[in-house]
Amino acid sequence: MSVRTTRAVLVAATAVALSAALVAPALAAVPAGSGHEATRKAAEAAVGAGVPGVTVTARDGRGTWSATAGTGNLATGAPRSADDRYRVGSITKTFVATVLLQLEAEGRLSLDDSVEKWLPGVVRGNGHDGGKVTLRQLLNHTSGIFNYTADEDFGRTYFLKDGFFEHRYDTKKPAELVALAMTHEPDFAPGTSWNYSNTNYVLAGMVIEKATGRPYGAEVRDRIIKPLHLTGTSVPGTRVSVPGPSSRAYSKLAETATGPTYDVTRINPSIAYSAGEMISDSTDLGRFYTALLRGKLLPREQLAEMTTTVPVDARNGYGLGLMKSELSCGVTVWGHGGGIHGSVSEAVTTKDGRHSLAFNLNGDWSGDTGAVIEAEFCGTDKAPERTGSRGPDLT
């Protein structure tokens, strides 16, 4: 399976409020011409590059601005909506990391605990040793544990055309995903390097379930979604549909960006589990990251842990389920990106939570997400080189 560069970077976001009283009221939409024209043009450029459609929402001191470009349904020609719900892929990771940090704040676990302590015998084989990997190393991708979505057979089965249409409704257990990773050697010894691995966050979800006795999705709902009134956000489990309002999701299901385009909206997201199964919308994502970075979801100590990063490259660092990215104009944003079949998303914010951006492309083979982020925060579509990967992989 080849992983193509399509998402710009794992980037920013602020956080969202812990209770209804803490959630800021929605502001009136800002009319066109109020400072977001570069963002609009970058979204239109993504459509010009082949993405079916884009939906984008930004919030700053002037209010909330939304725009759409292109098509939400290639069969009917219906446009995208600012209210679209979509699969957010690895943006799920920030929700999962937040729950684990909340559990640490409650004294129910420590991020310095080994994976072996919580999941005995699960991380073992071909050089993997859960006794040498900490929960912190799962969250910041320094564990060295092999990324199960990089397995070639898994890629052919779930990301390329023939395999996808045969297996799109398969249910995969998290233990099966981890077991697949264990058939490979680790990427490096724990703590000695950095490499993005979806297996880390499958394990993180399993630890949440072991520590609480409840599904990780129930903890996400009760600790984040409900208190923040994120009405467009859900943890689907094995549900194959995306709740409305929503657009269709499209992929080439190939290792090239040419050829036929397929509707891949319906899929059993258990293949992503706590590494990337969630659904949300742009308003909810902006609210979540704003509240998070403003300290509404985590105590100061845990937020400091989350925002302590390890270097990824010259401009990017990875914290605990949170990416720090320096843009070309010197602005630093925090958040995460996500890619899953037919859906590429980004949610970023300044650290003070005063300026947030969230958007989605309903095609996974084209479009420069970095240019959209640069346009919003720097007023230009010049995008520096970023770290990330494009669908139809889980990113």
Side-chain angles (χ1 to χ4, degrees), residues 201-274:
Y201 275 79
V202 172
L203 289 162
M206 294 169 70
V207 170
I208 290 172
E209 298 193 353
K210 190 67 174 288
T212 64
R214 307 175 68 221
Y216 95 90
E219 294 294 326
V220 169
R221 282 189 289 269
D222 290 349
R223 292 171 175 270
I224 302 174
I225 294 174
K226 290 181 181 178
L228 297 177
H229 297 279
L230 305 182
T231 56
T233 304
S234 60
V235 183
T238 59
R239 187 185 71 216
V240 303
S241 60
V242 178
S246 61
S247 293
R248 310 304 293 180
Y250 297 98
S251 180
K252 298 296 185 180
L253 295 176
E255 297 185 75
T256 66
T258 59
T261 298
Y262 301 98
D263 187 324
V264 295
T265 309
R266 292 175 63 84
I267 183 175
N268 183 332
S270 65
I271 63 166
Y273 185 59
S274 51

Side-chain angles (χ1 to χ4, degrees), residues 131-178:
K132 296 181 180 179
V133 176
T134 67
L135 303 186
R136 189 185 312 276
Q137 289 167 339
L138 295 181
L139 297 186
N140 66 12
H141 294 299
T142 61
S143 71
I145 295 173
F146 182 84
N147 177 15
Y148 74 92
T149 61
D151 178 87
E152 292 187 5
D153 287 341
F154 188 91
R156 284 191 293 269
T157 301
Y158 294 103
F159 300 126
L160 300 183
K161 179 174 71 74
D162 292 343
F164 174 81
F165 285 114
E166 182 178 351
H167 295 284
R168 68 193 299 178
Y169 301 128
D170 288 1
T171 293
K172 301 295 288 185
K173 301 290 186 182
E176 295 179 81
L177 304 177
V178 176

Side-chain angles (χ1 to χ4, degrees), residues 41-60:
K41 290 179 181 178
E44 292 171 348
V47 173
V51 173
V54 181
T55 181
V56 55
T57 295
R59 180 168 177 160
D60 57 20

Side-chain angles (χ1 to χ4, degrees), residues 85 94 116 128 136 164 199 214 236 244 291 306 318 324 339 342 365 367 378:
R85 297 173 184 179
T94 312
E116 181 71 13
H128 287 94
R136 189 185 312 276
F164 174 81
T199 314
R214 307 175 68 221
M306 179 176 255
Y318 200 94
K324 175 185 178 182
W365 66 89
C378 299

Side-chain angles (χ1 to χ4, degrees), residues 28 46 74 211 334 356:
L74 293 176
W334 295 79
S356 64

Side-chain angles (χ1 to χ4, degrees), residues 1 5 18 46 74-75 96 113 196 201 321 324 358 388:
M1 174 181 60
T5 301
L18 185 56
L74 293 176
V96 170
D113 290 343
Y196 194 86
Y201 275 79
K324 175 185 178 182

Side-chain angles (χ1 to χ4, degrees), residues 12-18 23 88 90-99 102 220 223-225 228-230 233 278 280-298 303 306 320-322 334-336 347-349 353 356 358:
T14 312
V16 88
L18 185 56
V23 179
V88 302
S90 283
I91 290 174
T92 303
K93 290 179 172 67
T94 312
F95 288 83
V96 170
T98 300
V99 171
Q102 289 176 343
V220 169
R223 292 171 175 270
I224 302 174
I225 294 174
L228 297 177
H229 297 279
L230 305 182
T233 304
M278 288 181 64
S280 191
D281 62 34
S282 298
T283 297
D284 277 6
L285 291 177
R287 184 182 298 167
F288 165 62
Y289 280 105
T290 298
L292 178 63
L293 289 174
R294 285 181 173 173
K296 305 301 183 182
L297 288 170
L298 294 173
L303 184 58
M306 179 176 255
L320 305 183
L322 196 65
W334 295 79
H336 216 288
V348 298
T349 186
S356 64

